[in-house]
Every structure is written in structure tokens, then in C-alpha cells.
Amino acid sequence: MTSPTIIEVAIPLYVDKIFHYRVPERLNEQALTGRRALVPFGNRKLTGYILGIAPDSAITNLKDIIDILDREPLWTAGELEFFRWVASYYQHPLGEVVRTALPAGINIQTRKGTSGDQETLTQGKTARRETFYLPAPLHDLPRQPGAKALEIMAVIRETGNISAAELRKRFGTCAPQLKRLVELGLCTAVEHEVYRDPFKDHIVARDEPRRLHTHQKAALDAISTSLDRLQFTPFLLYGVTGSGKTEVYLQAISHALNLGKNALVLVPEIALTPQLTGRFQARFGGGIAILHSALSDGERYDEWRRIRRGLARIVIGARSAIFAPLKNIGIIIVDEEHEASFKQSDGLRYNARDLALVRGRMEQAAVVLGSATPSVTSIHATGEGRLTLIELPERVENRPMPLVELVGMKGHKETISATLATSLAQTYDQGRQAIVFLNRRGFATFLVCADCGKPLTCPNCTVTLTYHRQRGQSLCHYCDYAVPAPGTCPSCGGATLSELGAGTEKLEQELKELLPAARILRMDSDTTSGKGSHERLLTRMNDGSADILVGTQMIAKGHDFPEVTLVGVVNAEASLGMPDFRAAERTFQLLSQVIGRAGRGDTPGRVVVQALDTEHYAIRAAAEHDATGFYRQELEFRREAGYPPFAFLAAFAISGLSEQTVSEQADVTARLLAHLKSELKVRVEILGPAPSPIYRLRNRFRRQILLKAVNRSNLHRLLTAWRQRATVASTVRISVDIDPVDMM
Ligand code: ADP
Ligand code: ZN
């Protein structure tokens, strides 16, 4: 008699352990690596991920798995290696990493039935089938197919791949013509599963590769050479806005596809607009999968399966796409690599930009990090030779960089300076468009009581409430707490609340008063919450049915408005006040991006930047297009202060409902860390515990401890030891964030 098979299973729980189970004889052939198993766990049944056969089958007293949930494996050996790397680096349970990597729609939910221990299993979404028509290569015809059939054929050729349903929509009944076309060998009919297509309403015109200018050509050559060698090569593609980076991506991808390789493209969520995806579709036609957070679980699962089955050769997505089950990756592109949104801020706190380099190395792929304003870390890495620098120093067709004027606002009360007001009026009179940027939504920044002088604050979070006039509410931007406004002062009952500071809503109103005839749009998270609203606003800017666009950082990124010749920046230092060592970097990047929105068409652009502190190096460098100067000064500061890229950080966040328990747990944690540090003799600086900048968030009190180390493995050893030894009170949550980005 053979001994039963024992398997290793990862379970998505916050326990740092791999579990062993026995496989009952009836499941022996299905219990393979890469599948999910339903396993008994305590008195629950959970979904586990089979990692492989246990090396030692002498383990006794094991429970049997209950069932196998998949017929096909969900991940490959290579992907598992990647998951393991992620789990180790981010100090996160492997089961949780696998769960994060798989699409939500796949998960079988186990629910307690009414009869107690009975479980109801809800399978993931199922797919429909449909017929699609694809053009065949041109050849001589024995007979002519007829006029309507020829028209249909033209559409099939143009689209490259079109469904029967879509053809019916355009031509009415066309089954006889299609049959004829297939008989003549002009096209082929393929039946395959249809996937919910999030962009199906968009019809895109075909587009041809541009003839590259010198710098673009050099960039493409460098990337293509590394692609030909099939060797991991990381690049930083540093090109000002409008220098043609996307064109380089497109042609590099085309090169990879010709080599039989696939492409993964990561972009910030906010950039995942139909504009961008349309450019890829126009160039490559079908075979593109798009992953973004607005997809329903079903849509996401559909896209995931298309990728898994090799039906998509290009994957475009926000950060989670780094886990896409794409095989044979030749190139990974991370556009706007400096964006903070590549970092996941809860659960598995991974950074997709960093993981692109890791996955790229495992896949022997070319990795292209692209940006007009690279992260300070990337600039430093090029100096050290860890990233190969490719520059696109000029705008396409040598369009000049806009002329920037800095306006000092010290001692001024008005929101819009005279300089900006005049420029806006001129631009409007010339029939051109303008953008006005203010990185703060709402009407007033906050309301202050005229009697006691206290600002209106959130009862759940230690932040001021933002006054939104249109909604008639003061809102907490962190927990959504809202009170009718203006109202009365909660501290003293005073009836007069005055407005302090300006948000986009107020700016919009002032612009309306300034230019009553101008058509003004506002774009911020208040005006773009509805589905498609973001795109509608962009369309109105593009088709010229608006004159001025007011908005937060949403308007700063990625959009190409050729008619915009004036950009105004109100309160340039809004992002400098953050208690974060990256505040200057963020400010520089944001200002440079906004400034880059001016004059993308044929008319040179003009920018008016209003700031209280016109001498700050981040503001000055952005206004003078002096990136080199900024990076030099910022790296000096980071080196002196011992911040990344000269040190590695890990942040402990301790939170809970009881202030005292949180404080005690924070002290216990810091003491244990200090003890382990001397036991291990590692050089790690332990800062804190200290109250987090937002001390109270959604009713939870928050403290943090920051670890800093020059040597990454020292930091890693300390964290591993801490995880093995720590005891955490059940009412307190501790999260460890490796390479933290947001430390509020
Ligand atoms: P970036 O991604 O750096 O902002 P894009 O690739 O979007 O720049 O290029 C800016 C504009 O210039 C786009 O409209 C693009 O189609 C166009 N463009 C890019 N490269 C070329 C080229 N070699 N010749 C002509 N137009 C180009
Ligand atoms: Zn709040």
C-alpha cells in the first residue's frame, strides 16, 4: 500500500505558516500545484493554495483536504517563485500574497448556510460564446462576393477581429454574406468565449507607427538591443512631457511582439483613460487586456482568463497588473514611474514599480521606467549604474517649453492674482483654452469660528473639515464624515463661521465672476465620481466646448490638450506642508507636470505660478525647468538626512480604538525592536513611537515607529525576528510597511 500524498498549502490568513494536508485517494490526481483546495481549518472550511507535494511524508495526524476547486492551474512555477519573493520582501504571509495576486472574481465564497455547518459554494462567473470574424490574407478570387459582402469585408479588415453581433448591429442581417465570405476564404470564423469588454463602446481608428526623431530612435535602439539579447535590462526613459515616450513604448512593444514575446504595461490608475488605451488599440488592434479598478469582479476575471489562456499579448493595467498571469514577458513598461499610486496602501503594501524590476529580472525582460519627472530614487540609480538612462530632452517637433512667471502672493488675500487674471482674459479673448490648477478640492479649505477661533474638525480624525458650498456640507476627506454647513461652532456654539483658504469649488466661482461669459469646467474627485464623468469633462476640453478647466492634480496628468496655451497654478506650495520627506519631490513633480500642460499644440504656452514662497527650491526649479538642479539639491538633502535612496525604511503603524492600549502596544513594540536589535547586532535606527501625523483616523488612535537602515539585510533580519517574537493585543492592529510612501 502506498502512503498518502501530503501537500503544502498556503492559506490566506495573517499567519506566517505553510500548512500540511493529506490528499484522500479520490482526489490524488487533481491535487496538483497551482490549484485551490477546500481545506478544514479549525471548525471552518477555507480555500487554500496548493504549493506542492511536501518533501517529508512522515508528518502524522493530518487532516484530509475536502475538495479541489480548479481543473487548471492558476499560477505557474515562475509566478510562484515571484509570489514567494514578494512574501519574503514585504514580510507578508504567502497565502495573502497569492490571494492578492488572483482576481477577486475567482474566489469561491464559503458562507455559512442556515443549517449551521452546511456550506454554500458560489462559483465564479461563467462565460458566453460567440462567433468572431477575422480577415484572411488577400488572394485572387474565383468569384466576386457581392456589394454588401464587400462592405462587410472592409469592416472585418479594418477592425481585424469583429463579432457577429457587432456586424449585425451595423449591417442588419448578414449571415448569408458572412457564409459566402468564409467560403471564398476571405475571412475565417472563430468561435470563442466572449468577455465583458469595458471599452466596447469605443471604436478606434487604426494608427501607424510614427517616424521617430533622433532621440526616440536612440531610445528604441537601446531597448530593442536588450530585447534581442533576452536579458534583464532596466532602463529609465526620462523625457519631458510631450517628448514622445508613449511612441517609444508602442514601438518597443511592437519589437517584443515580433520576437514572440509579450508586454506588460503599468500606468497609474488615473492615467488608465480610454485616451491611453485607445492609442494601444489603434496601434495593435485586438489582443490587449485592460485591468483597472473600475472593472467589476466578473470583468476582471474575464480579463484575467484571457491573459492566462494566452489570448492577450499586451496587458495594460494599474498597479495590480504586476501580478497578471502573462507568460513569456519580453518587456515591462512602468509609465509615470514616480507616481505614488504604484504603492498599495493597505494589506500587501507592495510597490508595483519596484516589483516590475523584480519580475523583469525573473523573466529576463527589458524593464522601461518612464517619466517626465522621475523619482529621486531612479535618478540616483542611473548615477550608480543600476538603471540605464535614456533621455528624450526635446518635445516632439521642437515645441518650446512654456514661459513660466512666478508671482509672489505674500501679503495678498485674493485667490487669483492680477497677473493671472489678465492672462486668463487675454487667453479667453484669443479663443484659446486655459487650465487653472489648485491641489485642494472643496470651497473653502475650512471654516473657522469667529468667536473662539477654532476650526471645524472631524470628530473621528484629527483633520479639519473641508467646506463644500454646493453640497452645503463640511466634509472629512478621510472618513467622509459630513455636517450641514455653515452651521454653528461645535466648541462654543458661535453662529459665525468664516471661510479660510480656497478650494477648487471656490476658484471655479471666482473665475465665473472674473469671466462671466467663459465656459468653465471643474475636475476633481467631487465632479468625477459618476461613471464616465471624467471622460465627459475631457471630451468637452478636447472638442473645444469649454474655455477653462479648473481642477486638482487630476488635471495635471497625462492629458494632451493642444489648445491649452495658459496654465495657472494657485497656491503652488499646497503640497509642501506635508510632514513627509518626499514633500519637495512631490511638489516639484506636480508643478512640472502642470506646467507641461501648457502649449502642447503649435502655439507656445505660458504659465503663471502663484506661490507664497517663491524662493523654495522645488518651486523655483519647476518654474525654471531646472530638473538637474532640483535632483542635485534633493539628493544632497536625502544624503544628509539619511533618507531613501541612502537608507531603507520600514514603518510600523499601531492603531486601535483605545488610546491607552495603542500607546502601550507601541511602547512594547519599540522595546522589543530595541532588544532584538542588540541581540542581532544589526545597525538599524529606531525612531519613535510617535503619534502619526493624522493621530486619529476613522475613530482609531494611531502611533508609528520608523525603522531606518543603511543596509537592507539588517533591516530585513530585524523585521523577521520581530515577526517571530511579537505578541500583539487583540484589540490593536499593527501593520508593517516596507519602503513606505505615505506616512501620514
Ligand atoms: P509623451 O508620452 O512623452 O508625453 P507622446 O508619445 O504622447 O509623448 O507624444 C506627444 C505627441 O507627439 C503625441 O500626439 C504623439 O502622437 C506625437 N508624436 C510622438 N512621436 C512623434 C514623432 N516621431 N513624429 C510625430 N509625432 C510624434
Ligand atoms: Zn474623519
Side-chain angles (χ1 to χ4, degrees):
M1 195 187 119
T2 53
S3 55
T5 309
I6 312 289
I7 51 173
E8 292 184 336
V9 175
I11 295 179
L13 286 175
Y14 278 84
V15 277
D16 213 359
K17 233 183 104 176
I18 302 294
F19 296 88
H20 291 93
Y21 285 92
R22 210 166 45 193
V23 180
E25 186 110 18
R26 70 187 161 88
L27 295 175
N28 236 339
E29 292 189 350
Q30 301 163 49
L32 304 171
T33 311
R35 276 107 175 138
R36 290 168 307 157
L38 194 64
V39 299
F41 192 86
N43 53 14
R44 288 185 290 169
K45 293 174 190 174
L46 296 177
T47 302
Y49 307 110
I50 304 177
L51 304 174
I53 308 289
D56 183 347
S57 57
I59 312 162
T60 51
N61 252 337
L62 294 177
K63 289 186 185 165
D64 280 3
I65 59 167
I66 301 161
D67 208 353
I68 295 294
L69 305 176
D70 304 295
R71 257 179 267 155
E72 293 167 52
L74 300 178
W75 62 85
T76 62
E79 283 159 20
L80 181 58
E81 189 195 341
F82 180 56
F83 300 158
R84 284 189 198 275
W85 192 98
V86 171
S88 159
Y89 183 85
Y90 289 107
Q91 305 260 326
H92 205 75
L94 182 58
E96 273 292 310
V97 172
V98 179
R99 193 181 61 81
T100 308
L102 296 176
I106 212 170
N107 277 319
I108 285 192
Q109 294 139 15
T110 62
R111 270 190 253 117
K112 289 265 180 214
T114 39
S115 60
D117 60 357
Q118 195 197 329
E119 309 264 347
T120 346
L121 297 182
T122 343
Q123 263 292 358
K125 316 274 176 174
T126 47
R128 289 183 295 140
R129 302 189 73 81
E130 214 187 277
T131 311
F132 281 76
Y133 291 88
L134 286 77
L138 285 172
H139 58 84
D140 291 333
L141 294 178
R143 286 175 292 152
Q144 282 303 315
K148 182 171 178 185
L150 278 174
E151 252 178 77
I152 294 171
M153 194 53 224
V155 170
I156 295 174
R157 238 175 240 300
E158 205 177 291
T159 53
N161 181 4
I162 189 165
S163 71
E166 181 66 26
L167 285 170
R168 262 195 308 278
K169 229 187 283 169
R170 294 197 198 183
F171 294 99
T173 322
C174 53
Q177 286 83 4
L178 284 168
K179 187 159 170 263
R180 189 97 195 270
L181 290 169
V182 173
E183 279 167 7
L184 289 172
L186 280 170
C187 68
T188 46
V190 182
E191 192 167 292
H192 54 72
E193 285 183 15
V194 275
Y195 303 92
R196 285 153 282 236
D197 177 2
F199 291 112
K200 61 172 170 291
D201 295 337
H202 293 271
I203 295 162
V204 272
R206 276 272 172 184
D207 142 274
E208 295 297 320
R210 304 274 194 288
R211 180 197 291 273
L212 298 184
H213 59 68
T214 322
H215 294 291
Q216 280 176 316
K217 201 169 174 314
L220 181 66
D221 282 348
I223 300 167
S224 301
T225 308
S226 104
L227 278 169
D228 292 339
R229 277 199 235 111
L230 303 180
Q231 240 174 35
F232 169 59
T233 326
F235 295 97
L236 174 65
L237 180 60
Y238 180 7
V240 294
T241 41
S243 60
K245 292 186 294 298
T246 310
E247 187 61 36
V248 173
Y249 301 153
L250 291 169
Q251 298 200 21
I253 289 171
S254 179
H255 192 89
L257 296 181
N258 288 338
L259 292 170
K261 291 283 183 174
N262 300 330
L264 180 58
V265 183
L266 303 181
V267 298
E269 180 72 45
I270 197 168
L272 257 183
T273 56
Q275 267 187 341
L276 176 100
T277 51
R279 270 178 91 175
F280 281 79
Q281 277 157 341
R283 187 64 58 90
F284 298 108
I288 301 176
I290 294 158
L291 298 168
H292 62 87
S293 67
L295 298 183
S296 66
D297 283 354
E299 288 170 331
R300 177 167 283 273
Y301 180 39
D302 281 351
E303 291 294 88
W304 189 89
R305 279 180 316 151
R306 281 181 62 214
I307 303 166
R308 169 95 297 157
R309 295 180 184 175
L311 297 176
R313 297 192 57 195
I314 302 173
V315 176
I316 310 175
R319 62 172 175 258
S320 66
I322 189 60
F323 294 112
L326 186 66
K327 281 184 212 119
N328 201 14
I329 298 176
I331 185 166
I332 305 180
I333 286 160
V334 184
D335 191 29
E336 312 281 357
E337 65 90 26
H338 63 281
E339 278 284 320
S341 67
F342 285 118
K343 174 83 173 178
Q344 167 96 7
S345 59
D346 53 14
L348 171 60
R349 293 166 165 80
Y350 65 96
N351 190 324
R353 174 243 177 237
D354 299 346
L355 288 185
L357 294 167
V358 175
R359 194 162 181 199
R361 193 178 54 215
M362 289 182 173
E363 303 264 357
Q364 299 295 310
V367 179
V368 182
L369 308 178
S371 178
T373 51
S375 61
V376 169
T377 301
S378 293
I379 292 289
H380 181 63
T382 60
E384 305 240 291
R386 280 180 285 112
L387 286 179
T388 302
L389 178 64
I390 324 174
E391 287 185 90
L392 300 181
E394 284 158 19
R395 284 184 159 189
V396 169
E397 287 155 16
N398 277 325
R399 288 168 202 154
M401 289 306 280
L403 208 67
V404 185
E405 188 172 344
L406 263 176
V407 179
M409 296 296 283
K410 221 173 255 167
H412 290 257
K413 285 195 82 177
E414 69 274 17
T415 316
I416 301 167
S417 65
T419 314
L420 181 54
T422 315
S423 307
L424 281 166
Q426 270 170 7
T427 306
Y428 176 68
D429 288 341
Q430 289 163 357
R432 305 272 186 191
Q433 289 177 315
I435 286 179
V436 185
F437 169 77
L438 170 57
N439 204 14
R440 181 153 259 149
R441 66 194 170 102
F443 189 80
T445 308
F446 50 87
L447 295 174
V448 175
C449 173
D451 295 335
C452 72
K454 289 207 176 111
L456 228 60
T457 55
C458 174
N460 312 317
C461 314
T462 42
V463 296
T464 51
L465 298 177
T466 306
Y467 174 42
H468 292 246
R469 174 179 281 187
Q470 231 164 14
R471 294 203 215 177
Q473 284 179 329
S474 280
L475 266 192
C476 172
H477 286 181
Y478 288 91
C479 75
D480 246 5
Y481 170 86
V483 284
T488 52
C489 171
S491 300
C492 73
T496 321
L497 294 171
S498 41
E499 299 158 7
L500 260 194
T504 40
E505 199 183 331
K506 181 165 187 194
L507 186 57
E508 181 190 15
Q509 191 191 313
E510 294 201 2
L511 286 167
K512 277 183 180 153
E513 284 162 18
L514 188 72
L515 296 169
R519 295 158 303 172
I520 299 171
L521 298 179
R522 172 159 60 94
M523 184 186 278
D524 54 31
S525 47
D526 293 322
T527 63
T528 53
S529 52
K531 206 172 178 177
S533 51
H534 187 252
E535 205 201 332
R536 269 196 300 281
L537 289 171
L538 292 178
T539 305
R540 288 197 52 196
M541 270 309 269
N542 277 324
D543 67 15
S545 60
D547 303 306
I548 300 177
L549 178 66
V550 183
T552 55
Q553 53 174 332
M554 262 185 201
I555 64 175
K557 295 170 184 170
H559 316 302
D560 197 357
F561 302 120
E563 289 303 314
V564 169
T565 53
L566 174 69
V567 167
V569 178
V570 172
N571 193 2
E573 54 265 289
S575 50
L576 272 181
M578 301 282 182
D580 182 334
F581 72 90
R582 289 193 185 86
E585 174 176 1
R586 296 241 170 88
T587 303
F588 171 77
Q589 286 161 342
L590 200 50
L591 287 180
S592 304
Q593 300 267 350
V594 181
I595 289 169
R597 297 299 119 206
R600 302 198 96 200
D602 304 327
T603 319
R606 186 158 176 243
V607 182
V608 177
V609 177
Q610 298 181 181
L612 286 170
D613 181 3
T614 50
E615 289 307 309
H616 192 283
Y617 68 99
I619 295 175
R620 195 150 270 285
E624 291 170 358
H625 312 296
D626 180 20
T628 315
F630 171 76
Y631 288 116
R632 197 186 325 106
Q633 194 153 348
E634 183 63 15
L635 279 167
E636 240 166 68
F637 154 70
R638 302 280 181 92
R639 191 193 300 275
E640 275 166 25
Y643 278 122
F646 303 100
F648 300 99
L649 304 182
F652 280 69
I654 303 112
S655 72
L657 294 171
S658 150
E659 185 167 18
Q660 193 185 343
T661 319
V662 169
S663 164
E664 282 164 9
Q665 183 71 59
D667 291 339
V668 167
T669 306
R671 272 203 302 276
L672 177 58
L673 284 167
H675 171 77
L676 293 169
K677 172 187 154 174
S678 63
E679 197 178 283
L680 296 168
K681 297 191 174 64
V682 286
R683 291 184 58 178
V684 176
E685 203 179 333
I686 302 169
L687 302 164
S692 305
I694 299 173
Y695 181 49
R696 225 172 142 217
L697 186 64
R698 296 180 194 95
N699 274 323
R700 299 177 73 85
F701 292 91
R702 306 161 78 233
R703 281 178 186 271
Q704 59 187 28
I705 299 168
L706 189 64
L707 305 188
K708 243 184 186 185
V710 172
N711 178 306
R712 190 186 280 290
S713 70
N714 275 347
L715 185 60
H716 194 84
R717 280 175 62 205
L718 179 58
L719 290 170
T720 307
W722 179 81
R723 286 216 304 167
Q724 284 159 359
R725 299 269 281 275
T727 47
V728 179
S730 62
T731 54
V732 171
R733 219 183 284 152
I734 299 190
S735 64
V736 181
D737 189 350
I738 312 290
D739 307 326
V741 167
D742 176 5
M743 291 184 291
M744 295 295 282

